[in-house]
Amino acid sequence: MAAFNAYRVSSEPQWNLKYVQPIGTEQESIEIEHQLGAQFEKHRTEQNGEIFSDLDAAAPGM
């Protein structure tokens, strides 16, 4: 954080990290991407591959 606050005119730091989130391994990230991809694949349109969620298929304009 010191690097982000180094050039501040004010003595009060602008950047203050309040939370620390653990970062997993690269393999864990890849697995999560696969799981998210599988979920989004269920909502992909056949024509152009757009992804819609929370829409009723019978909604007007669809």
Side-chain angles (χ1 to χ4, degrees):
M1 291 289 97
F4 288 108
N5 293 316
Y7 300 104
R8 294 273 300 153
V9 175
S10 170
S11 61
E12 180 182 319
Q14 178 179 6
W15 296 95
N16 185 11
L17 188 61
K18 294 184 183 219
Y19 302 100
V20 177
Q21 181 175 352
I23 299 174
T25 66
E26 184 177 347
Q27 192 59 41
E28 289 172 331
S29 299
I30 291 170
E31 179 58 33
I32 290 169
E33 267 189 38
H34 284 279
Q35 292 173 13
L36 285 172
Q39 289 296 320
F40 283 118
E41 186 67 28
K42 297 174 187 175
H43 301 284
R44 188 176 299 274
T45 61
E46 293 179 13
Q47 290 92 0
N48 58 6
E50 289 181 313
I51 297 173
F52 294 101
S53 64
D54 297 325
L55 293 176
D56 183 0
M62 294 301 292

mmCIF file of all heavy atoms in Angstrom, residues 8-49:
data_model
loop_
_atom_site.group_PDB
_atom_site.id
_atom_site.type_symbol
_atom_site.label_atom_id
_atom_site.label_comp_id
_atom_site.label_asym_id
_atom_site.label_seq_id
_atom_site.Cartn_x
_atom_site.Cartn_y
_atom_site.Cartn_z
ATOM 1 N N ARG A 8 1.122 11.039 -2.493
ATOM 2 C CA ARG A 8 -0.019 11.813 -1.990
ATOM 3 C C ARG A 8 0.459 13.138 -1.423
ATOM 4 O O ARG A 8 1.474 13.213 -0.734
ATOM 5 C CB ARG A 8 -0.725 11.036 -0.877
ATOM 6 C CG ARG A 8 -1.398 9.764 -1.322
ATOM 7 C CD ARG A 8 -2.796 9.961 -1.813
ATOM 8 N NE ARG A 8 -3.627 10.533 -0.760
ATOM 9 C CZ ARG A 8 -4.685 11.270 -1.003
ATOM 10 N NH1 ARG A 8 -5.046 11.534 -2.224
ATOM 11 N NH2 ARG A 8 -5.384 11.767 -0.019
ATOM 12 N N VAL A 9 -0.256 14.220 -1.715
ATOM 13 C CA VAL A 9 0.055 15.526 -1.146
ATOM 14 C C VAL A 9 -0.372 15.541 0.320
ATOM 15 O O VAL A 9 0.340 16.042 1.186
ATOM 16 C CB VAL A 9 -0.653 16.643 -1.945
ATOM 17 C CG1 VAL A 9 -0.440 17.987 -1.291
ATOM 18 C CG2 VAL A 9 -0.166 16.636 -3.385
ATOM 19 N N SER A 10 -1.516 14.951 0.593
ATOM 20 C CA SER A 10 -2.029 14.880 1.957
ATOM 21 C C SER A 10 -1.277 13.785 2.724
ATOM 22 O O SER A 10 -0.836 12.797 2.145
ATOM 23 C CB SER A 10 -3.517 14.540 1.913
ATOM 24 O OG SER A 10 -3.993 14.253 3.193
ATOM 25 N N SER A 11 -1.157 13.956 4.008
ATOM 26 C CA SER A 11 -0.497 12.925 4.815
ATOM 27 C C SER A 11 -1.434 11.751 5.095
ATOM 28 O O SER A 11 -0.995 10.685 5.503
ATOM 29 C CB SER A 11 -0.022 13.528 6.139
ATOM 30 O OG SER A 11 -1.130 14.017 6.867
ATOM 31 N N GLU A 12 -2.723 11.956 4.857
ATOM 32 C CA GLU A 12 -3.697 10.887 5.066
ATOM 33 C C GLU A 12 -3.646 9.917 3.889
ATOM 34 O O GLU A 12 -3.753 10.335 2.739
ATOM 35 C CB GLU A 12 -5.096 11.493 5.174
ATOM 36 C CG GLU A 12 -6.183 10.468 5.398
ATOM 37 C CD GLU A 12 -7.556 11.120 5.458
ATOM 38 O OE1 GLU A 12 -7.674 12.191 6.062
ATOM 39 O OE2 GLU A 12 -8.485 10.546 4.881
ATOM 40 N N PRO A 13 -3.462 8.621 4.125
ATOM 41 C CA PRO A 13 -3.393 7.674 3.009
ATOM 42 C C PRO A 13 -4.730 7.568 2.282
ATOM 43 O O PRO A 13 -5.782 7.551 2.915
ATOM 44 C CB PRO A 13 -3.024 6.342 3.668
ATOM 45 C CG PRO A 13 -3.300 6.512 5.114
ATOM 46 C CD PRO A 13 -3.291 7.976 5.410
ATOM 47 N N GLN A 14 -4.670 7.530 0.961
ATOM 48 C CA GLN A 14 -5.873 7.366 0.159
ATOM 49 C C GLN A 14 -6.235 5.883 0.072
ATOM 50 O O GLN A 14 -7.381 5.510 0.093
ATOM 51 C CB GLN A 14 -5.664 7.918 -1.248
ATOM 52 C CG GLN A 14 -6.879 7.738 -2.144
ATOM 53 C CD GLN A 14 -6.659 8.308 -3.524
ATOM 54 O OE1 GLN A 14 -5.561 8.740 -3.863
ATOM 55 N NE2 GLN A 14 -7.675 8.311 -4.336
ATOM 56 N N TRP A 15 -5.217 5.046 -0.038
ATOM 57 C CA TRP A 15 -5.437 3.616 -0.187
ATOM 58 C C TRP A 15 -5.219 2.938 1.156
ATOM 59 O O TRP A 15 -4.194 3.070 1.780
ATOM 60 C CB TRP A 15 -4.465 3.031 -1.218
ATOM 61 C CG TRP A 15 -4.688 3.590 -2.569
ATOM 62 C CD1 TRP A 15 -4.039 4.639 -3.138
ATOM 63 C CD2 TRP A 15 -5.642 3.157 -3.528
ATOM 64 N NE1 TRP A 15 -4.523 4.884 -4.386
ATOM 65 C CE2 TRP A 15 -5.506 3.985 -4.662
ATOM 66 C CE3 TRP A 15 -6.599 2.144 -3.545
ATOM 67 C CZ2 TRP A 15 -6.288 3.826 -5.792
ATOM 68 C CZ3 TRP A 15 -7.369 1.988 -4.676
ATOM 69 C CH2 TRP A 15 -7.216 2.828 -5.770
ATOM 70 N N ASN A 16 -6.238 2.212 1.604
ATOM 71 C CA ASN A 16 -6.163 1.510 2.868
ATOM 72 C C ASN A 16 -6.833 0.147 2.682
ATOM 73 O O ASN A 16 -8.051 0.072 2.542
ATOM 74 C CB ASN A 16 -6.861 2.313 3.967
ATOM 75 C CG ASN A 16 -6.698 1.681 5.331
ATOM 76 O OD1 ASN A 16 -5.920 0.764 5.509
ATOM 77 N ND2 ASN A 16 -7.441 2.188 6.296
ATOM 78 N N LEU A 17 -6.051 -0.915 2.655
ATOM 79 C CA LEU A 17 -6.577 -2.250 2.434
ATOM 80 C C LEU A 17 -7.267 -2.748 3.695
ATOM 81 O O LEU A 17 -6.659 -2.829 4.753
ATOM 82 C CB LEU A 17 -5.429 -3.198 2.053
ATOM 83 C CG LEU A 17 -5.813 -4.594 1.609
ATOM 84 C CD1 LEU A 17 -6.689 -4.523 0.355
ATOM 85 C CD2 LEU A 17 -4.571 -5.409 1.333
ATOM 86 N N LYS A 18 -8.575 -3.067 3.569
ATOM 87 C CA LYS A 18 -9.347 -3.473 4.739
ATOM 88 C C LYS A 18 -9.568 -4.981 4.796
ATOM 89 O O LYS A 18 -9.845 -5.513 5.845
ATOM 90 C CB LYS A 18 -10.696 -2.766 4.749
ATOM 91 C CG LYS A 18 -10.557 -1.275 4.928
ATOM 92 C CD LYS A 18 -11.897 -0.610 5.031
ATOM 93 C CE LYS A 18 -11.657 0.887 5.126
ATOM 94 N NZ LYS A 18 -12.519 1.544 6.032
ATOM 95 N N TYR A 19 -9.491 -5.645 3.671
ATOM 96 C CA TYR A 19 -9.770 -7.071 3.628
ATOM 97 C C TYR A 19 -8.650 -7.790 2.885
ATOM 98 O O TYR A 19 -8.071 -7.262 1.949
ATOM 99 C CB TYR A 19 -11.096 -7.354 2.910
ATOM 100 C CG TYR A 19 -12.259 -6.667 3.555
ATOM 101 C CD1 TYR A 19 -12.771 -5.484 3.034
ATOM 102 C CD2 TYR A 19 -12.831 -7.180 4.710
ATOM 103 C CE1 TYR A 19 -13.825 -4.832 3.643
ATOM 104 C CE2 TYR A 19 -13.895 -6.534 5.323
ATOM 105 C CZ TYR A 19 -14.390 -5.368 4.778
ATOM 106 O OH TYR A 19 -15.430 -4.733 5.380
ATOM 107 N N VAL A 20 -8.386 -8.996 3.308
ATOM 108 C CA VAL A 20 -7.415 -9.835 2.622
ATOM 109 C C VAL A 20 -8.137 -11.117 2.230
ATOM 110 O O VAL A 20 -8.702 -11.802 3.075
ATOM 111 C CB VAL A 20 -6.209 -10.154 3.541
ATOM 112 C CG1 VAL A 20 -5.252 -11.087 2.841
ATOM 113 C CG2 VAL A 20 -5.513 -8.886 3.962
ATOM 114 N N GLN A 21 -8.148 -11.385 0.942
ATOM 115 C CA GLN A 21 -8.812 -12.573 0.442
ATOM 116 C C GLN A 21 -7.746 -13.586 0.025
ATOM 117 O O GLN A 21 -6.824 -13.234 -0.716
ATOM 118 C CB GLN A 21 -9.684 -12.226 -0.759
ATOM 119 C CG GLN A 21 -10.423 -13.422 -1.311
ATOM 120 C CD GLN A 21 -11.365 -13.013 -2.433
ATOM 121 O OE1 GLN A 21 -11.562 -11.835 -2.683
ATOM 122 N NE2 GLN A 21 -11.927 -13.972 -3.110
ATOM 123 N N PRO A 22 -7.856 -14.806 0.483
ATOM 124 C CA PRO A 22 -6.866 -15.809 0.086
ATOM 125 C C PRO A 22 -6.941 -16.078 -1.417
ATOM 126 O O PRO A 22 -8.022 -16.068 -2.006
ATOM 127 C CB PRO A 22 -7.258 -17.047 0.888
ATOM 128 C CG PRO A 22 -8.675 -16.836 1.276
ATOM 129 C CD PRO A 22 -8.888 -15.355 1.345
ATOM 130 N N ILE A 23 -5.808 -16.270 -2.015
ATOM 131 C CA ILE A 23 -5.726 -16.541 -3.449
ATOM 132 C C ILE A 23 -5.330 -17.994 -3.624
ATOM 133 O O ILE A 23 -4.332 -18.451 -3.072
ATOM 134 C CB ILE A 23 -4.703 -15.610 -4.124
ATOM 135 C CG1 ILE A 23 -5.140 -14.160 -3.954
ATOM 136 C CG2 ILE A 23 -4.547 -15.973 -5.598
ATOM 137 C CD1 ILE A 23 -4.142 -13.161 -4.450
ATOM 138 N N GLY A 24 -6.130 -18.718 -4.383
ATOM 139 C CA GLY A 24 -5.884 -20.140 -4.587
ATOM 140 C C GLY A 24 -4.795 -20.383 -5.629
ATOM 141 O O GLY A 24 -4.193 -19.458 -6.173
ATOM 142 N N THR A 25 -4.606 -21.633 -5.925
ATOM 143 C CA THR A 25 -3.607 -22.024 -6.906
ATOM 144 C C THR A 25 -4.152 -21.822 -8.316
ATOM 145 O O THR A 25 -5.357 -21.617 -8.519
ATOM 146 C CB THR A 25 -3.232 -23.503 -6.737
ATOM 147 O OG1 THR A 25 -4.390 -24.300 -7.054
ATOM 148 C CG2 THR A 25 -2.750 -23.811 -5.330
ATOM 149 N N GLU A 26 -3.270 -21.905 -9.287
ATOM 150 C CA GLU A 26 -3.680 -21.774 -10.689
ATOM 151 C C GLU A 26 -4.636 -22.906 -11.060
ATOM 152 O O GLU A 26 -5.620 -22.695 -11.768
ATOM 153 C CB GLU A 26 -2.444 -21.804 -11.583
ATOM 154 C CG GLU A 26 -2.750 -21.590 -13.036
ATOM 155 C CD GLU A 26 -1.503 -21.553 -13.892
ATOM 156 O OE1 GLU A 26 -0.385 -21.457 -13.362
ATOM 157 O OE2 GLU A 26 -1.651 -21.623 -15.125
ATOM 158 N N GLN A 27 -4.364 -24.095 -10.572
ATOM 159 C CA GLN A 27 -5.225 -25.237 -10.880
ATOM 160 C C GLN A 27 -6.620 -25.050 -10.301
ATOM 161 O O GLN A 27 -7.614 -25.390 -10.934
ATOM 162 C CB GLN A 27 -4.595 -26.530 -10.353
ATOM 163 C CG GLN A 27 -5.258 -27.785 -10.876
ATOM 164 C CD GLN A 27 -5.224 -27.869 -12.401
ATOM 165 O OE1 GLN A 27 -4.222 -27.547 -13.032
ATOM 166 N NE2 GLN A 27 -6.320 -28.275 -12.988
ATOM 167 N N GLU A 28 -6.720 -24.489 -9.099
ATOM 168 C CA GLU A 28 -8.031 -24.211 -8.502
ATOM 169 C C GLU A 28 -8.790 -23.185 -9.340
ATOM 170 O O GLU A 28 -9.999 -23.310 -9.544
ATOM 171 C CB GLU A 28 -7.866 -23.701 -7.077
ATOM 172 C CG GLU A 28 -7.417 -24.764 -6.096
ATOM 173 C CD GLU A 28 -7.071 -24.202 -4.738
ATOM 174 O OE1 GLU A 28 -6.640 -23.034 -4.636
ATOM 175 O OE2 GLU A 28 -7.228 -24.948 -3.760
ATOM 176 N N SER A 29 -8.086 -22.194 -9.846
ATOM 177 C CA SER A 29 -8.713 -21.173 -10.688
ATOM 178 C C SER A 29 -9.252 -21.779 -11.967
ATOM 179 O O SER A 29 -10.350 -21.450 -12.423
ATOM 180 C CB SER A 29 -7.711 -20.071 -11.027
ATOM 181 O OG SER A 29 -7.269 -19.436 -9.871
ATOM 182 N N ILE A 30 -8.486 -22.672 -12.567
ATOM 183 C CA ILE A 30 -8.919 -23.334 -13.809
ATOM 184 C C ILE A 30 -10.163 -24.168 -13.545
ATOM 185 O O ILE A 30 -11.117 -24.139 -14.332
ATOM 186 C CB ILE A 30 -7.773 -24.196 -14.382
ATOM 187 C CG1 ILE A 30 -6.656 -23.284 -14.896
ATOM 188 C CG2 ILE A 30 -8.279 -25.120 -15.487
ATOM 189 C CD1 ILE A 30 -5.384 -24.002 -15.268
ATOM 190 N N GLU A 31 -10.194 -24.877 -12.435
ATOM 191 C CA GLU A 31 -11.353 -25.704 -12.097
ATOM 192 C C GLU A 31 -12.596 -24.832 -11.889
ATOM 193 O O GLU A 31 -13.689 -25.173 -12.344
ATOM 194 C CB GLU A 31 -11.066 -26.532 -10.847
ATOM 195 C CG GLU A 31 -12.222 -27.412 -10.416
ATOM 196 C CD GLU A 31 -12.686 -28.388 -11.483
ATOM 197 O OE1 GLU A 31 -11.842 -28.868 -12.276
ATOM 198 O OE2 GLU A 31 -13.898 -28.669 -11.542
ATOM 199 N N ILE A 32 -12.440 -23.702 -11.223
ATOM 200 C CA ILE A 32 -13.566 -22.789 -11.003
ATOM 201 C C ILE A 32 -14.066 -22.243 -12.337
ATOM 202 O O ILE A 32 -15.274 -22.144 -12.571
ATOM 203 C CB ILE A 32 -13.166 -21.655 -10.040
ATOM 204 C CG1 ILE A 32 -12.979 -22.229 -8.635
ATOM 205 C CG2 ILE A 32 -14.206 -20.543 -10.036
ATOM 206 C CD1 ILE A 32 -12.338 -21.282 -7.657
ATOM 207 N N GLU A 33 -13.147 -21.904 -13.242
ATOM 208 C CA GLU A 33 -13.550 -21.432 -14.580
ATOM 209 C C GLU A 33 -14.358 -22.490 -15.302
ATOM 210 O O GLU A 33 -15.343 -22.176 -15.971
ATOM 211 C CB GLU A 33 -12.320 -21.072 -15.406
ATOM 212 C CG GLU A 33 -11.949 -19.631 -15.319
ATOM 213 C CD GLU A 33 -10.854 -19.270 -16.311
ATOM 214 O OE1 GLU A 33 -10.863 -19.793 -17.457
ATOM 215 O OE2 GLU A 33 -10.008 -18.474 -15.936
ATOM 216 N N HIS A 34 -13.948 -23.744 -15.205
ATOM 217 C CA HIS A 34 -14.692 -24.832 -15.849
ATOM 218 C C HIS A 34 -16.095 -24.945 -15.270
ATOM 219 O O HIS A 34 -17.063 -25.128 -16.010
ATOM 220 C CB HIS A 34 -13.949 -26.163 -15.679
ATOM 221 C CG HIS A 34 -12.769 -26.310 -16.576
ATOM 222 N ND1 HIS A 34 -12.852 -26.694 -17.887
ATOM 223 C CD2 HIS A 34 -11.454 -26.101 -16.336
ATOM 224 C CE1 HIS A 34 -11.659 -26.722 -18.432
ATOM 225 N NE2 HIS A 34 -10.771 -26.355 -17.502
ATOM 226 N N GLN A 35 -16.213 -24.831 -13.959
ATOM 227 C CA GLN A 35 -17.528 -24.919 -13.319
ATOM 228 C C GLN A 35 -18.421 -23.754 -13.733
ATOM 229 O O GLN A 35 -19.606 -23.949 -14.014
ATOM 230 C CB GLN A 35 -17.377 -24.953 -11.803
ATOM 231 C CG GLN A 35 -16.732 -26.231 -11.294
ATOM 232 C CD GLN A 35 -16.445 -26.185 -9.808
ATOM 233 O OE1 GLN A 35 -16.920 -25.310 -9.096
ATOM 234 N NE2 GLN A 35 -15.658 -27.139 -9.329
ATOM 235 N N LEU A 36 -17.861 -22.546 -13.772
ATOM 236 C CA LEU A 36 -18.651 -21.386 -14.204
ATOM 237 C C LEU A 36 -19.059 -21.523 -15.663
ATOM 238 O O LEU A 36 -20.188 -21.206 -16.036
ATOM 239 C CB LEU A 36 -17.853 -20.098 -14.004
ATOM 240 C CG LEU A 36 -17.717 -19.610 -12.571
ATOM 241 C CD1 LEU A 36 -16.738 -18.450 -12.497
ATOM 242 C CD2 LEU A 36 -19.069 -19.194 -12.033
ATOM 243 N N GLY A 37 -18.142 -21.988 -16.488
ATOM 244 C CA GLY A 37 -18.446 -22.191 -17.906
ATOM 245 C C GLY A 37 -19.587 -23.165 -18.102
ATOM 246 O O GLY A 37 -20.461 -22.951 -18.950
ATOM 247 N N ALA A 38 -19.599 -24.225 -17.319
ATOM 248 C CA ALA A 38 -20.673 -25.213 -17.417
ATOM 249 C C ALA A 38 -22.014 -24.596 -17.026
ATOM 250 O O ALA A 38 -23.045 -24.892 -17.640
ATOM 251 C CB ALA A 38 -20.353 -26.412 -16.526
ATOM 252 N N GLN A 39 -22.015 -23.734 -16.013
ATOM 253 C CA GLN A 39 -23.257 -23.073 -15.604
ATOM 254 C C GLN A 39 -23.748 -22.110 -16.677
ATOM 255 O O GLN A 39 -24.931 -22.080 -17.007
ATOM 256 C CB GLN A 39 -23.051 -22.315 -14.284
ATOM 257 C CG GLN A 39 -22.884 -23.216 -13.087
ATOM 258 C CD GLN A 39 -24.136 -24.032 -12.823
ATOM 259 O OE1 GLN A 39 -25.244 -23.552 -12.931
ATOM 260 N NE2 GLN A 39 -23.933 -25.288 -12.482
ATOM 261 N N PHE A 40 -22.840 -21.304 -17.233
ATOM 262 C CA PHE A 40 -23.244 -20.334 -18.252
ATOM 263 C C PHE A 40 -23.644 -21.010 -19.553
ATOM 264 O O PHE A 40 -24.464 -20.486 -20.296
ATOM 265 C CB PHE A 40 -22.122 -19.323 -18.508
ATOM 266 C CG PHE A 40 -22.006 -18.277 -17.438
ATOM 267 C CD1 PHE A 40 -20.852 -18.170 -16.672
ATOM 268 C CD2 PHE A 40 -23.037 -17.395 -17.188
ATOM 269 C CE1 PHE A 40 -20.737 -17.207 -15.679
ATOM 270 C CE2 PHE A 40 -22.941 -16.426 -16.200
ATOM 271 C CZ PHE A 40 -21.793 -16.338 -15.447
ATOM 272 N N GLU A 41 -23.071 -22.153 -19.844
ATOM 273 C CA GLU A 41 -23.394 -22.871 -21.079
ATOM 274 C C GLU A 41 -24.877 -23.204 -21.157
ATOM 275 O O GLU A 41 -25.470 -23.217 -22.238
ATOM 276 C CB GLU A 41 -22.554 -24.158 -21.163
ATOM 277 C CG GLU A 41 -22.702 -24.895 -22.460
ATOM 278 C CD GLU A 41 -22.131 -24.148 -23.652
ATOM 279 O OE1 GLU A 41 -21.186 -23.363 -23.468
ATOM 280 O OE2 GLU A 41 -22.646 -24.351 -24.769
ATOM 281 N N LYS A 42 -25.503 -23.409 -20.010
ATOM 282 C CA LYS A 42 -26.937 -23.732 -19.966
ATOM 283 C C LYS A 42 -27.793 -22.564 -20.437
ATOM 284 O O LYS A 42 -28.944 -22.748 -20.797
ATOM 285 C CB LYS A 42 -27.343 -24.112 -18.542
ATOM 286 C CG LYS A 42 -26.652 -25.347 -18.017
ATOM 287 C CD LYS A 42 -26.993 -25.565 -16.562
ATOM 288 C CE LYS A 42 -26.188 -26.703 -15.974
ATOM 289 N NZ LYS A 42 -26.431 -26.859 -14.531
ATOM 290 N N HIS A 43 -27.259 -21.346 -20.428
ATOM 291 C CA HIS A 43 -28.029 -20.153 -20.776
ATOM 292 C C HIS A 43 -27.603 -19.555 -22.120
ATOM 293 O O HIS A 43 -28.023 -18.463 -22.472
ATOM 294 C CB HIS A 43 -27.861 -19.085 -19.684
ATOM 295 C CG HIS A 43 -28.301 -19.556 -18.335
ATOM 296 N ND1 HIS A 43 -29.630 -19.658 -17.988
ATOM 297 C CD2 HIS A 43 -27.598 -19.978 -17.266
ATOM 298 C CE1 HIS A 43 -29.724 -20.117 -16.750
ATOM 299 N NE2 HIS A 43 -28.510 -20.317 -16.284
ATOM 300 N N ARG A 44 -26.767 -20.254 -22.875
ATOM 301 C CA ARG A 44 -26.248 -19.739 -24.145
ATOM 302 C C ARG A 44 -27.287 -19.930 -25.250
ATOM 303 O O ARG A 44 -27.906 -20.975 -25.345
ATOM 304 C CB ARG A 44 -24.958 -20.472 -24.495
ATOM 305 C CG ARG A 44 -24.228 -19.902 -25.677
ATOM 306 C CD ARG A 44 -22.917 -20.613 -25.906
ATOM 307 N NE ARG A 44 -22.009 -20.491 -24.785
ATOM 308 C CZ ARG A 44 -21.174 -19.478 -24.591
ATOM 309 N NH1 ARG A 44 -21.150 -18.488 -25.444
ATOM 310 N NH2 ARG A 44 -20.370 -19.466 -23.557
ATOM 311 N N THR A 45 -27.456 -18.900 -26.091
ATOM 312 C CA THR A 45 -28.399 -19.009 -27.203
ATOM 313 C C THR A 45 -27.767 -19.802 -28.342
ATOM 314 O O THR A 45 -26.551 -19.842 -28.497
ATOM 315 C CB THR A 45 -28.801 -17.618 -27.736
ATOM 316 O OG1 THR A 45 -27.634 -16.959 -28.221
ATOM 317 C CG2 THR A 45 -29.448 -16.775 -26.650
ATOM 318 N N GLU A 46 -28.622 -20.421 -29.139
ATOM 319 C CA GLU A 46 -28.126 -21.233 -30.252
ATOM 320 C C GLU A 46 -27.630 -20.380 -31.419
ATOM 321 O O GLU A 46 -26.698 -20.757 -32.112
ATOM 322 C CB GLU A 46 -29.226 -22.169 -30.744
ATOM 323 C CG GLU A 46 -29.598 -23.234 -29.735
ATOM 324 C CD GLU A 46 -30.706 -24.128 -30.249
ATOM 325 O OE1 GLU A 46 -31.005 -24.081 -31.453
ATOM 326 O OE2 GLU A 46 -31.277 -24.862 -29.441
ATOM 327 N N GLN A 47 -28.258 -19.211 -31.646
ATOM 328 C CA GLN A 47 -27.925 -18.415 -32.817
ATOM 329 C C GLN A 47 -26.519 -17.811 -32.748
ATOM 330 O O GLN A 47 -25.740 -17.964 -33.661
ATOM 331 C CB GLN A 47 -28.937 -17.275 -33.025
ATOM 332 C CG GLN A 47 -30.298 -17.739 -33.473
ATOM 333 C CD GLN A 47 -31.221 -17.976 -32.291
ATOM 334 O OE1 GLN A 47 -30.851 -17.803 -31.140
ATOM 335 N NE2 GLN A 47 -32.433 -18.388 -32.585
ATOM 336 N N ASN A 48 -26.225 -17.067 -31.672
ATOM 337 C CA ASN A 48 -24.957 -16.343 -31.647
ATOM 338 C C ASN A 48 -24.164 -16.531 -30.354
ATOM 339 O O ASN A 48 -23.163 -15.865 -30.144
ATOM 340 C CB ASN A 48 -25.191 -14.845 -31.904
ATOM 341 C CG ASN A 48 -26.121 -14.233 -30.890
ATOM 342 O OD1 ASN A 48 -26.509 -14.879 -29.933
ATOM 343 N ND2 ASN A 48 -26.480 -12.983 -31.102
ATOM 344 N N GLY A 49 -24.602 -17.426 -29.497
ATOM 345 C CA GLY A 49 -23.841 -17.739 -28.301
ATOM 346 C C GLY A 49 -23.949 -16.733 -27.176
ATOM 347 O O GLY A 49 -23.180 -16.787 -26.226
#
